[in-house]
Amino acid sequence: MSDVLFIEGGRVIDPAGGVDGVRTVVIRDGKVAEVAERVERPRDARVLDARNRWVTPGFVDLHVHLREPGQEYKETVATGARAAVAGGFTAVCAMPNTKPVNDCAAVTELVLARAAAAGLARVYPVGAISKGSGGEELAEYGELKASGCVALSDDGRPVMSSALMRRALEYARAFGLPLTVHEEDLHLVGKGVMHEGAAATRLGLKGIPSQAEDVMVLRDIALVELTGGRLHVAHVSTAGAVRAIREAKRRGLPVTGEVTPHHLALTDDDVAASGYSTDFKMNPPLRSADDVRACREGLADGTLDAIATDHAPHSAVEKDVEFDAAANGIVGLETAFSVCLGLVREGALTERRLVEALTAGPARVFGLPAGTLARGAAADVAVLDAAAEWTLDPARLQSKGRNTPWKGRRLAGRCTHTIVGGRIVHEEGKADR
Amino acid sequence: MIGRHKHCIALEDFSREEILEVIDLAVSMKEVLQRPIKKVPSLRGKMVVNLFFEASTRTRSSFETAAKILSADALNWTSSSSSVTKGETLVDTAKNLEAMRPDVLVIRHSAGGAPRLVAEHVGCSVVSAGDGAHEHPSQGLLDCFTLREKLGTLEGKTVAIVGDVSHSRVARSDLHAFPKLGAKVRLCGPPTMMPAGVERLGATVHTDLREAVDGADAVIMLRIQHERIGDPLIPGTREYSKVWGLNAKKAADWLKPSCVILHPGPINRGVELSPEVADGPRSVILDQVQNGVAVRMAILYLLAGGAGEEARA
Ligand SMILES: [Zn+2]
Ligand SMILES: [Zn+2]
């Protein structure tokens, strides 16, 4: 069989290359050979008919939880990678809060080996900021970098010690690694389980004020000024955080941010409307309508660089319990494009900005060789049917997680083909059980 | 069935008519309580299981008494919430109890939403006896009943609820029920005990006690629950009683003569209420206790009695 693949007739949207129009994408030896309006096709080339489809760089997710090692009953690197390509993601960054925490080469290498064996999405491990993510001692960034980590994070918890955060930002500079930080002041969070506001009051649940996030973002921006380290704010959820990042960027500080589809699409009123459904429990919590508006604006104007899913699979053991006791997080890889396309339809986002925030934007944040269809780039491609309508049946998800607030909901748009390194690794209908 | 409801979980979901259905029936249930022989056969052969994850002798005895007067078998099952950490989940526990085929499961739990979660997993009717800081619907209904009994109607009346509103499930239920019966609600307490956005539920919020009780037809003094306050919300009970407590002098000077005083109990004497006020002529606290049994009889009857039976058939 030829190793030449022609993706023909689709609308190619590649914000990194400034392309938006009907083109043919030619893939040879796993790389993008050409993107052009008319290309002569050799007789033995394979053809992917992409008429009425979008053809974009494969999506890049800066924030996923693959649960391996340690909690394989929730997800494995392989099932997570399968979910990724089903959602159009060709590269995902795996957070280190596994069991054990990814704070050393052994764990990083295990994740990379599992990802290579799966042969689906590319998996980029993120190493821990502190040993065991315990918040006390720096992890060995040199070893983490050498074994393949692309960033550092204690995600799942904040770095509460300002002194440790200072040293982490300083020390990481030596290795050019950005810190991707989970921002919440645990003292302000207390026993809170959802956003503090009228919805929490109605439900009688303890609230978490937006300021629990704001104060930490402001602190860390101040520490960036002190240290010159690279700060990436994970799952931004508040108007105050968006404002702080916008201001930091204006002052030229190396600060970036990401936002999840659920924080762009849902509010705390949805938690109340769900009647305590733990599929609406996540951290940071779903915020107020004002916060959602600010996040949408921040994404539209580039204050927020990327859409990241914070894909967090859990089993029924963690979710089919009281709201107070339930684990935080929802699965997101297979719904991200649809949920965000919904925002485009509402006029909150342009099509180009949507694709950029899923491709070139995140690739730039961690300096990943991805997010573009430029000649010579790895042939990581998503083919999307933006006109599709479908109903989310959790049983058909590729992820082991079933925890999603979009259960049974009608969604717009879906990924029909995903190509990694020139190989079709997802074809709609083919992987369905 | 209470109106459209198979369960009694939150007064937020109840209409005016559904609230009135319970308290109208509670009037005749209260007559049963006045009889020399307090026993009727209405729920003979029915089983009510009291599932209490949080200690509450008062509420549990009230439900138990109500069930026994109606000739139902009442079974008490007490557990600490920590059984969850021992591996058995709330859903497991509820399903195990359901295997005994109860007609009504009365549940008290420290987590908001727990009764709703149980209701999703069992076939019998579920009555919330208080969930976290969410609601305590039978208490809300007995407050409605008591106020109607004492004031004639709630239409056009003003009720002040004073104290730790943020932790109070009683306040939540009252707040949903009173306006449906035509009353205005004022909330009062230290700002640290006032939940965010509570105005959106239709009450006015006050920090000044005098202003809150001025012209009110009823005042509900909430219990200051030291055991449930994790954060430093007030400097101490000494200052609290001075600023937000009701003593005889304040009651005489600030309350209108017909104003009645309620309290969900048990009272911290000398904190939210001085003993003279708690035992004084305005106090209807003991009526509340008796009305509580009557209201719970009405709830159990409606859910497990004739109407409930038809619904299950
Ligand atoms: Zn996080
Ligand atoms: Zn995360």
Side-chain angles (χ1 to χ4, degrees):
Chain A
M1 193 155 84
S2 161
D3 59 356
V4 182
L5 175 64
F6 275 60
I7 305 172
E8 288 187 348
R11 173 183 166 196
V12 175
I13 309 175
D14 177 18
V19 179
D20 185 353
V22 176
R23 301 279 193 285
T24 294
V25 177
V26 182
I27 293 169
R28 187 172 289 124
D29 299 329
K31 294 199 161 40
V32 177
E34 202 173 356
V35 177
E37 284 180 52
R38 293 200 66 83
V39 200
E40 215 47 51
R41 187 208 309 160
R43 197 172 279 274
D44 61 344
R46 286 178 304 150
V47 178
L48 198 165
D49 180 358
R51 276 174 297 176
N52 303 317
R53 302 280 161 87
W54 293 5
V55 178
T56 71
F59 301 158
V60 178
D61 194 339
L62 297 177
H63 192 150
V64 303
H65 297 274
L66 299 182
R67 308 298 187 204
E68 187 177 4
Q71 293 180 312
E72 290 82 355
Y73 69 100
K74 295 186 184 189
E75 192 85 290
T76 63
V77 172
T79 58
R82 164 65 58 207
V85 296
F89 289 90
T90 54
V92 296
C93 299
M95 284 298 185
N97 63 335
T98 46
K99 292 183 178 175
V101 165
N102 183 7
D103 61 1
C104 61
V107 179
T108 304
E109 283 160 7
L110 178 132
V111 171
L112 286 171
R114 292 283 193 274
L120 296 161
R122 300 175 199 274
V123 176
Y124 293 100
V126 175
I129 290 174
S130 62
K131 285 189 183 142
S133 286
E136 285 176 0
E137 290 171 82
L138 295 178
E140 296 179 359
Y141 300 170
E143 173 176 306
L144 289 169
K145 164 104 181 190
S147 54
C149 287
V150 296
L152 301 164
S153 183
D154 276 353
D155 186 50
R157 60 177 79 170
V159 179
M160 279 304 288
S161 159
S162 310
L164 183 81
M165 189 62 189
R166 175 223 173 131
R167 295 306 179 203
L169 281 162
E170 279 174 351
Y171 188 63
R173 262 177 35 210
F175 308 97
L177 290 171
L179 268 65
T180 167
V181 286
H182 172 116
E183 301 288 48
E184 56 172 340
D185 180 323
L186 296 177
H187 302 297
L188 279 175
V189 170
K191 290 186 176 142
V193 293
M194 71 174 285
H195 176 65
E196 180 171 308
T201 294
R202 262 177 69 195
L203 293 172
L205 295 176
K206 269 216 170 292
I208 304 171
S210 292
Q211 284 71 13
E213 180 167 326
D214 301 350
V215 296
M216 293 293 275
V217 173
L218 289 163
R219 180 199 75 172
D220 287 347
I221 289 170
L223 293 173
V224 166
E225 267 184 293
L226 174 67
T227 61
R230 271 273 291 111
L231 183 77
H232 176 69
V233 183
H235 44 51
V236 169
S237 73
T238 67
V242 173
R243 215 180 304 126
I245 296 168
R246 185 178 289 130
E247 168 70 4
K249 283 191 163 172
R250 211 175 50 74
R251 284 156 56 212
L253 296 172
V255 176
T256 51
E258 72 188 27
V259 61
T260 72
H262 46 278
H263 288 113
L264 293 168
L266 301 171
T267 69
D268 59 339
D269 284 331
D270 292 305
V271 184
S274 80
Y276 298 94
S277 165
T278 57
D279 288 332
F280 290 77
K281 187 179 181 192
M282 57 278 284
N283 186 9
L286 296 173
R287 298 288 188 188
S288 72
D290 286 341
D291 289 312
V292 169
R293 199 172 308 117
C295 287
R296 289 176 172 197
E297 285 166 13
L299 182 63
D301 73 14
T303 299
L304 301 175
D305 302 79
I307 293 167
T309 65
D310 196 2
H311 177 79
H314 289 293
S315 77
V317 174
E318 289 84 17
K319 282 293 194 181
D320 212 359
V321 295
E322 304 88 302
F323 198 91
D324 280 345
N328 286 306
I330 61 170
V331 292
L333 287 165
E334 293 163 84
T335 48
F337 175 66
S338 299
V339 171
C340 294
L341 193 63
L343 300 178
V344 172
R345 292 189 176 178
E346 286 178 41
L349 211 58
T350 64
E351 292 172 340
R352 181 202 153 101
R353 181 67 192 135
L354 165 64
V355 174
E356 188 175 35
L358 285 166
T359 59
R364 209 179 306 120
V365 170
F366 285 178
L368 304 176
T372 175
L373 296 177
R375 186 193 299 256
D380 296 356
V381 186
V383 180
L384 308 151
D385 181 355
E389 301 271 346
W390 57 294
T391 301
L392 182 91
D393 172 5
R396 295 176 73 89
L397 290 173
Q398 302 296 323
S399 169
K400 285 192 184 183
R402 299 284 175 263
N403 45 315
T404 162
W406 285 284
K407 253 173 213 165
R409 295 248 214 133
R410 290 293 287 172
L411 294 172
R414 66 187 306 168
C415 174
T416 62
H417 298 80
T418 306
I419 295 156
V420 175
R423 213 161 57 81
I424 298 175
V425 291
H426 164 75
E427 194 171 345
E428 191 188 15
K430 286 278 170 69
D432 285 354
R433 286 154 294 186
Chain B
M1 304 290 278
I2 301 172
R4 308 154 286 158
H5 301 283
K6 180 185 174 186
H7 309 293
C8 178
I9 288 176
L11 297 187
E12 181 176 4
D13 306 332
F14 276 45
S15 66
R16 172 192 171 87
E17 290 65 35
E18 288 160 345
I19 292 169
L20 290 173
E21 184 186 5
V22 180
I23 59 180
D24 286 344
L25 181 59
V27 174
S28 28
M29 293 298 180
K30 191 169 179 178
E31 284 164 21
V32 174
L33 282 177
Q34 316 299 329
R35 294 181 194 166
I37 295 168
K38 300 173 193 55
K39 194 96 174 171
V40 289
S42 317
L43 296 186
R44 183 175 293 151
K46 305 285 182 177
M47 195 191 332
V48 176
V49 171
N50 288 323
L51 174 52
F52 275 56
F53 289 88
E54 229 182 36
S56 170
T57 314
R58 284 168 167 257
T59 305
R60 207 206 60 221
S61 327
S62 183
F63 272 107
E64 194 179 342
T65 308
K68 286 185 170 155
I69 295 173
L70 295 173
S71 303
D73 295 309
L75 182 116
N76 291 323
W77 196 91
T78 318
S79 167
S80 64
S81 295
S82 65
S83 69
V84 172
T85 52
K86 286 180 205 146
E88 189 179 60
T89 67
L90 175 60
V91 173
D92 290 338
T93 306
K95 283 187 170 163
N96 272 299
L97 287 170
E98 202 207 5
M100 302 178 196
R101 311 280 304 148
D103 297 276
V104 181
L105 207 52
V106 178
I107 170 169
R108 155 74 63 106
H109 199 281
S110 61
R116 199 181 293 258
L117 177 67
V118 168
E120 280 167 17
H121 288 88
V122 298
C124 62
S125 289
V126 172
V127 176
S128 168
D131 57 328
H134 176 224
E135 281 213 43
H136 192 349
S138 61
Q139 178 79 36
L141 290 164
L142 82 84
D143 286 350
C144 290
F145 180 34
T146 306
L147 287 175
R148 197 174 70 165
E149 194 178 60
K150 301 298 166 188
L151 305 177
T153 176
L154 271 77
E155 202 64 54
K157 305 293 185 192
T158 297
V159 184
I161 302 176
V162 181
D164 183 2
V165 177
S166 61
H167 289 93
S168 175
R169 44 199 170 208
V170 178
R172 298 285 195 300
S173 286
D174 286 347
L175 193 47
H176 287 299
F178 295 167
K180 286 174 184 160
L181 302 184
K184 285 198 179 63
V185 180
R186 296 176 189 163
L187 301 173
C188 178
T192 47
M193 291 179 161
M194 206 50 71
V198 73
E199 305 83 359
R200 262 178 53 185
L201 302 187
T204 56
V205 174
H206 308 258
T207 51
D208 185 81
L209 179 63
R210 183 173 191 164
E211 176 189 299
V213 302
D214 184 47
D217 300 284
V219 178
I220 299 179
M221 301 302 285
L222 300 173
R223 176 181 164 77
I224 296 304
Q225 312 204 4
H226 309 284
E227 70 276 16
R228 288 207 290 129
I229 299 170
D231 323 304
L233 298 181
I234 49 170
T237 50
R238 181 169 171 269
E239 176 159 290
Y240 183 87
S241 69
K242 282 191 190 169
V243 183
W244 289 283
L246 211 47
N247 59 22
K249 175 149 176 47
K250 288 191 214 174
D253 293 350
W254 297 353
L255 302 184
K256 75 177 184 188
S258 60
C259 180
V260 294
I261 295 170
L262 294 79
H263 189 292
I267 306 167
N268 292 302
R269 285 178 181 266
V271 182
E272 57 270 2
L273 284 176
S274 70
E276 316 87 80
V277 179
D279 307 328
R282 294 170 181 281
S283 168
V284 299
I285 296 171
L286 292 177
D287 301 76
Q288 284 178 276
V289 175
Q290 195 176 110
N291 292 345
V293 176
V295 157
R296 287 166 185 130
M297 286 166 71
I299 293 169
L300 295 178
Y301 179 82
L302 288 167
L303 295 180
E309 190 72 320
E310 277 165 37
R312 259 191 297 280

